[in-house]
Amino acid sequence: MKNLLAELRTSLLLTLVFAVVLCGAYPLAVWAGAQAFFPRQANGSLVTDAAGNVRGSALLAQSFTSDGYFQPRASAAGTGYDATSSGGTNLGPTSQKLNDSIKAAIAAYRTANGLAADAAVPADAVTSSGSGLDPHISVANALAQSGRVAKARHLTPEAVQQLVAAHTEGRDLGVLGEPRVNVLLLNMALDAASPKAP
Amino acid sequence: MNHPNAWIQFALYVGALLFLTKPLGLYLVQVLDPRGRTWLDPVVRPVERLTYRLCGIDPEKEQAWTGYTLAMLLFSVVGLLFTYVILRLQDHLPLNPQGFPGLSPALAFNTAASFTTNTNWQSYTGEATMSYFSQMVGLTIHNFTSAAMGIAIAAALVRGIARHTAKTIGNFWADTVRVTYYLLVPVCFVFALVLVSQGIIQNFQPYTVAKTYEPYTIQVPKLDAKGNAVTTSVPKTDDKGQALKDDKGQPVMVDQPVMVDQKVDTQTIVQGPVASQIAIKMLGTNGGGYVNANAAHPFENPTPLANFLQILSIFAIPAALTYYLGRMVKNQRHGWAVWGAMFAMFVAGALVCWHSEDAGNPIHQKLGVAAADGNMEGKEVRFGIFNSALFATITTDASCGAVNAMHDSFTPLGGLVPMFNIETGEVIFGGVGAGLYGMLIFVVLAVFIAGLMVGRTPEYLGKKIEAYDVKLVMLVLMVLAATILGGTAWAAVSTWGQAGLNNAGPHGFSEILYAYSSSVGNNGSAFAGLTATPADGDMHYNTTLGLAMLIGRFLMIVPILALAGNLAGKRLIPASAGTFKTEGLTFVLLLVGTVLLVGALTFLPALAIGPVVEHFLMRAGTLF
């Protein structure tokens, strides 16, 4: 019994000491280092416009629907692109609901981008991402959309394709992950290149 | 799988893991010895001594297995209550800029059990439920302590195997403190800063409201002045759209919320101390994310490089512990044999999962999805098919449970791999500590089976394995299997169990089976369509899954510590010509066979009516 009480006392005290070290000192030390060396990343990689307003995060997708903008992947986060409610559809491979939504997305994508009725569509263009906030689309998806964007903005297709190429991120260290295009940054570059709103 | 680049990534990963095993293993030898020396001594030693003094710990005083177990259980109970109270009272505690209310009792219990047991199942949406204080104190403390305890228990079992005619297996407090201070905190500090450089956030600001480029309109329920949803009475219709009539021919009326248009022209961006939590979430194989989407969320896993480091950190300590085992039992070839068995099963699982996801879904391909792109539903573009499949395999080989893609949306066989990995007992490198002590259970069983085959008393590293030892091993294996299958069966035939499902048909059953496997295995990943915290407040899932986690953790650890104590007390017998060698290819094959047979025989029927049947239905084009 004496042993039990002694061990219980140690349990309580060690929990408190750990709370101070692991939940106080440690995150504060990381916070100090992060704010000193990587303040942009540590505060959410926010992007601002010329007037200094925060317009989003370079790491988070936001909704773009008009023809003159590149469109991100579908989002199941909240009511769509809700950064406070991240998540996927969690629909399985034999789900009727998923099948219907992909079918509708393929038809819409082909129509919007002037593709043939039997053209294969990039998978990322018609599926929802895991987070619902995937900031990227595949290079194939971006190129398929570039004709539509060029037309809506009265730019040459080559000019838009060049912008896509300039905003294509390669594999990390040349080997890790997949090549990708950041939709928000590309759209901001589009606005800079052709200031007339779409 | 004709992607040379993916094979290079695989080779890089394996190379890095192999490279880390020995140096980190040697470091563990020093950390797990109260008199060990490390190059961090000048900085950490004073903090360690102060901690001992404040808490009344004598690190030199070793404990018998009973004392070790008692300390472990008391520390866990105190930690569980600590977190439960914080979660219930978070609205009265500091660092709650979003003003989140306290959690309900069932959810607070589930979450406290989840983090105490290193499961880190998330029954809640982190960014919409937890205050910074709850995340940073209530949850993060367990990320460290549950990991440190796992390693401590593995070390105690290894001591039990290495020692002979001994009464003690180490000091629980010293093991836990030293692992935390010398291993987890220093690595996490550096790791967290590297992750911040990749884009993970670390701040204490309130959420940022950004003005988005293209406003859009959504439908939301109309609220009255008190914030309650306004409803209107409408005739109820059947699924063909016909109005339903009651006995008297009157239309049946139901209340329906009134929907109004709402213009959305802002995006609220989550902030908080994320990086410090993510570093230990991965290194400690915890897996409980800061946000709901876990490591699929760009703020938790922004780049492929961050992804690579995170999956490397999952396996780093479990792999190093096999080297620690070899060093402590003075048979390095045995340590490498255990590593090899784990490695073989890891590679096999990764290849199957990758192949299935790469092949994609024939139903969707028929609709017009590019076949070469694989199954991208629930995956992120920056990771692609290969890194999503690799992450899913690793996170379930280990008891990590972080996810960088939604397992629920994997192809049937791609989703079977994570589920089966968990059901092996997470011994494929496994959780920190938990992987090694789980695998040693199978080692004892494999040695026992080998002994039966040749008709000799089984020996393991010079110790006779007797009836008592094998009974403890079987107790562990049977309790885990019974809890997974029993829980699944109960939920599958209950209204509350079916109410939580997001998918119909065999996939719905898979969601339930995955939930109980993940809880008992202390994994924490999910077929996340399953709703364990329904709007109507039904407590069944949160309560049964919470209990499953506690059973999976403590009914495993206690018999293992008893085994450690029993092995420590045995006398050494000299090896003879008939001694079964616990090294080399024969042993590796026997060990892999034991793990697969016990896993396969127990869970094959359940897997057959879940993912296996779904695979054939998908090939036939059946939808639910």
Side-chain angles (χ1 to χ4, degrees), chain A residues 26 42-43 54-55 61-62 65-66 73 80 86 89-94 96 121 123 128 131 134 171-172 175, chain B residues 5 127 202-203 205 211 213-214 216 267 276 292 305 361 368 370 373 377-381 409 502-503 614 624:
Chain A
Y26 160 71
N43 294 314
V54 175
R55 302 306 297 268
Q62 57 176 261
T65 51
S66 58
R73 301 183 64 194
S86 57
T89 62
N90 283 310
L91 293 171
T94 53
Q96 179 76 51
V121 172
S128 303
S131 61
D134 189 346
R171 297 188 157 101
D172 288 12
V175 52
Chain B
N5 196 77
E127 61 268 47
Q202 179 77 10
N203 61 59
Q205 304 158 8
K211 188 171 170 298
Y213 278 85
E214 283 207 308
Y216 59 103
Q267 186 178 38
S276 53
N292 188 49
L305 178 61
N361 186 330
D373 290 355
E377 179 66 31
K379 296 191 180 65
E380 302 280 300
V381 168
S409 296
N502 188 46
N503 283 277
E614 193 191 12
F624 293 91

Side-chain angles (χ1 to χ4, degrees), chain B residues 348-370:
Chain B
L351 293 182
V352 172
C353 187
W354 177 25
H355 173 75
S356 304
E357 294 310 299
D358 189 44
N361 186 330
I363 300 176
H364 299 160
Q365 284 158 5
K366 204 177 274 175
L367 293 175
V369 173

Side-chain angles (χ1 to χ4, degrees), chain B residues 183-357:
Chain B
L183 179 66
L184 301 179
V185 174
V187 176
C188 282
F189 177 67
V190 177
F191 187 26
L193 285 179
V194 174
L195 291 175
V196 172
S197 80
Q198 293 299 301
I200 299 193
I201 56 177
Q202 179 77 10
N203 61 59
F204 295 99
Q205 304 158 8
Y207 293 0
T208 305
V209 179
K211 188 171 170 298
T212 52
Y213 278 85
E214 283 207 308
Y216 59 103
T217 307
I218 56 167
Q219 294 253 302
V220 292
K222 186 177 179 181
L223 301 182
D224 63 18
K226 287 179 189 143
N228 297 317
V230 179
T231 56
T232 178
S233 203
V234 293
K236 191 175 177 179
T237 53
D238 62 15
D239 46 8
K240 292 189 187 73
Q242 300 289 321
L244 286 175
K245 300 251 167 67
D246 64 13
D247 303 343
K248 292 171 194 147
Q250 298 292 319
V252 183
M253 305 299 277
V254 283
D255 282 344
Q256 204 177 53
V258 179
M259 303 302 279
V260 288
D261 283 351
Q262 188 181 63
K263 193 173 149 203
V264 181
D265 55 3
T266 59
Q267 186 178 38
T268 303
I269 295 170
V270 170
Q271 300 288 5
V274 178
S276 53
Q277 195 175 329
I278 299 312
I280 184 61
K281 154 197 158 191
M282 305 310 289
L283 185 73
T285 64
N286 293 284
Y290 192 91
V291 291
N292 188 49
N294 206 286
H297 194 295
F299 277 177
E300 287 203 18
N301 199 357
T303 63
L305 178 61
N307 186 68
F308 183 84
L309 295 173
Q310 290 192 19
I311 51 179
L312 187 60
S313 70
I314 297 180
F315 270 180
I317 295 175
L321 276 167
T322 64
Y323 195 88
Y324 170 78
L325 167 73
R327 181 54 66 121
M328 295 301 286
V329 301
K330 299 195 174 61
N331 184 346
Q332 207 62 62
R333 283 170 53 85
H334 176 55
W336 283 115
V338 172
W339 192 96
M342 292 171 164
F343 181 72
M345 289 187 281
F346 155 57
V347 172
L351 293 182
V352 172
C353 187
W354 177 25
H355 173 75
S356 304
E357 294 310 299

